[in-house]
């Protein structure tokens, strides 16, 4: 009398070595007492390789990377065994039980495929390219395990670590990249500040041309950051032709005009030029 769970198969081996797959359905069953039985988990069998191997099927898989660096890859792999009597009989004859099948066939194949695929990646890109590595491992292992008699259901890379020396070098590279980025940002800020100063200087010069020399303006189209925009351009007047509309006499006349305009308004306080000594209160 025996029991088996859903997704399990029981094989029985007679003293003469003949193997029979007695059942692949859940429930109770009978086996001749002279036959040896082994139970095979057919569906979504899980293998885990993590850290130092505690509470897992083994430690993280050690790999050599491009550039002579070393690393370790944590993986969770699931597989199934076809519900095919010929396949189950062959596996039982060759390996006797599922644990030996994993130890002698599946795990060595997994280690070999992982090494073959990981060595194509350098230590500074393998973590960033985890998705690509996952796809490559899935494709290669599907083919390899199919030859062994198992169907790969999925691979999950749960972690990638590098040897201590490589990790330190990677940290140094990351720090240098941060320094370079900071320097580039400072350079860009300086460039923007320089552009701002040049624009401010130009604006002041344009304002001086308009106010002092009576320069005119026109609308022009300029390209700024790859875009065409309309802007106002000042048409300068040569110094020898500038009438200096802001000379002392002109400014005084304009001041007098402004004061005259306030003469009819009550309570205004007017500050006179320095060569006058009075403060005038222009009343209504």
């Amino acid at each position: 009398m025996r029991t088996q769970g859903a997704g399990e198969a029981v094989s029985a081996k007679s003293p003469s070595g003949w193997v029979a797959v007695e059942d692949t359905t859940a429930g109770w069953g009978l086996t001749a007492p002279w036959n040896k039985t082994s139970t095979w988990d057919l569906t979504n069998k899980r293998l885990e390789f993590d850290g130092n191997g505690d509470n897992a099927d083994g430690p993280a898989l050690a790999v050599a990377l491009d550039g002579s660096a070393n690393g370790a890859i944590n993986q969770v792999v699931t597989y199934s065994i076809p519900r095919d009597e010929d396949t189950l009989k062959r596996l039982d004859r060759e390996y006797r039980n599922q644990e030996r099948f994993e130890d002698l066939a599946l795990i060595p194949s997994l280690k070999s495929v992982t090494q073959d695929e990981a060595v194509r990646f350098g230590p500074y890109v393998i973590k960033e390219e985890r998705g690509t590595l996952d796809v490559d491992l899935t494709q290669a292992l599907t083919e390899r395990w199919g030859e062994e008699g198992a169907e790969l259901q999925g691979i999950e890379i749960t972690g990638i670590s590098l040897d201590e020396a490589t990790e330190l070098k990677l940290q140094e590279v990351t720090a240098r990249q941060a320094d370079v980025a900071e320097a580039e940002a400072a350079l860009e800020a300086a460039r923007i500040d320089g552009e701002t100063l040049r624009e401010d200087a130009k604006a002041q010069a344009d304002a001086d041309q308009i106010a002092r020399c009576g320069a005119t303006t026109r609308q022009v189209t300029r390209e700024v950051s790859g875009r065409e925009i309309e802007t106002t351009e000042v048409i300068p007047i040569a110094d020898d032709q500038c009438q200096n509309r802001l000379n002392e006499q002109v400014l005084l006349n304009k001041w007098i005009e402004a004061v005259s305009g306030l003469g009819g308004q009550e309570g205004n306080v007017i500050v006179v030029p320095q060569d006058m000594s009075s403060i005038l209160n222009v009343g209504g």
Side-chain angles (χ1 to χ4, degrees), residues 19-120:
V19 177
V21 178
E22 297 196 347
D23 202 353
T24 58
T25 58
W28 294 90
L30 296 173
T31 300
W34 53 83
N35 288 338
K36 293 182 179 181
T37 62
S38 60
T39 300
W40 293 74
D41 190 349
L42 303 181
T43 306
N44 292 329
K45 182 66 166 62
R46 188 174 186 269
L47 296 174
E48 181 178 359
F49 302 88
D50 183 48
N52 58 12
D54 293 342
N55 302 319
D57 296 286
L61 303 184
V63 293
L65 304 175
D66 185 28
S68 72
N70 296 313
I73 300 178
N74 300 339
Q75 296 183 62
V76 175
V77 187
T78 55
Y79 74 93
S80 297
I81 297 175
R83 293 176 178 271
D84 175 79
E85 187 169 337
D86 291 337
T87 298
L88 289 170
K89 286 182 177 180
R90 177 179 67 81
L91 294 179
D92 196 275
R93 280 195 302 268
E94 294 181 9
Y95 301 104
R96 297 200 299 274
N97 56 58
Q98 192 163 8
E99 183 178 356
R100 284 173 55 83
F101 176 48
E102 292 175 351
D103 291 342
L104 299 178
L106 299 186
I107 294 176
S109 295
L110 174 61
K111 291 180 178 179
S112 176
V113 167
T114 300
Q115 174 58 75
D116 292 344
E117 298 302 325
V119 76
R120 299 186 296 105

Side-chain angles (χ1 to χ4, degrees), residues 24-269:
T24 58
T25 58
W28 294 90
L30 296 173
T31 300
W34 53 83
N35 288 338
K36 293 182 179 181
T37 62
S38 60
T39 300
W40 293 74
D41 190 349
L42 303 181
T43 306
N44 292 329
K45 182 66 166 62
R46 188 174 186 269
L47 296 174
E48 181 178 359
F49 302 88
D50 183 48
N52 58 12
D54 293 342
N55 302 319
D57 296 286
L61 303 184
V63 293
L65 304 175
D66 185 28
S68 72
N70 296 313
I73 300 178
N74 300 339
Q75 296 183 62
V76 175
V77 187
T78 55
Y79 74 93
S80 297
I81 297 175
R83 293 176 178 271
D84 175 79
E85 187 169 337
D86 291 337
T87 298
L88 289 170
K89 286 182 177 180
R90 177 179 67 81
L91 294 179
D92 196 275
R93 280 195 302 268
E94 294 181 9
Y95 301 104
R96 297 200 299 274
N97 56 58
Q98 192 163 8
E99 183 178 356
R100 284 173 55 83
F101 176 48
E102 292 175 351
D103 291 342
L104 299 178
L106 299 186
I107 294 176
S109 295
L110 174 61
K111 291 180 178 179
S112 176
V113 167
T114 300
Q115 174 58 75
D116 292 344
E117 298 302 325
V119 76
R120 299 186 296 105
F121 295 86
Y124 303 115
V125 299
I126 189 170
K127 293 183 179 181
E128 298 176 359
E129 297 292 333
R130 178 184 297 190
T132 302
L133 176 60
D134 192 299
V135 171
D136 294 344
L137 283 174
T138 299
Q139 182 177 350
L141 195 60
T142 296
E143 182 177 351
R144 181 75 71 87
W145 276 9
E147 297 171 355
E148 302 285 358
E151 296 177 348
L152 178 67
Q153 300 300 310
I155 296 178
E156 180 184 2
I157 297 176
T158 58
I160 299 175
S161 60
L162 304 173
D163 61 84
E164 185 176 356
T166 303
E167 287 283 8
L168 290 175
K169 290 181 181 178
L170 183 59
Q171 292 174 11
E172 293 175 359
V173 170
T174 302
R176 286 198 297 270
Q177 290 175 339
D179 291 341
V180 170
E182 184 178 354
E184 289 178 345
L187 182 62
E188 179 66 12
R191 186 190 67 79
I192 293 174
D193 289 343
E195 290 288 342
T196 301
L197 289 174
R198 281 192 292 273
E199 289 297 323
D200 288 346
K202 183 177 182 302
Q204 293 176 9
D206 289 345
D208 179 71
Q209 273 280 326
I210 294 173
R212 187 169 57 85
C213 302
T216 58
T217 61
R218 63 183 178 185
Q219 293 297 115
V220 296
T221 301
R222 295 174 55 192
E223 185 174 318
V224 179
S225 299
R227 298 174 55 190
E228 290 189 349
I229 63 171
E230 282 198 357
T231 184
T232 301
E233 181 180 79
V234 175
I235 304 174
I237 295 177
D239 289 342
D240 58 351
Q241 299 177 7
C242 180
Q243 300 177 4
N244 191 10
R245 301 194 307 177
L246 297 181
N247 59 54
E248 184 176 349
Q249 184 59 49
V250 171
L251 292 176
L252 180 58
N253 291 338
K254 289 184 176 293
W255 179 82
I256 293 173
E257 291 176 3
V259 170
S260 300
L262 297 174
Q265 301 180 21
E266 182 179 356
N268 291 301
V269 177

Side-chain angles (χ1 to χ4, degrees), residues 5-17:
E8 293 181 341
V10 174
S11 65
K13 181 180 292 185
S14 69
S16 64

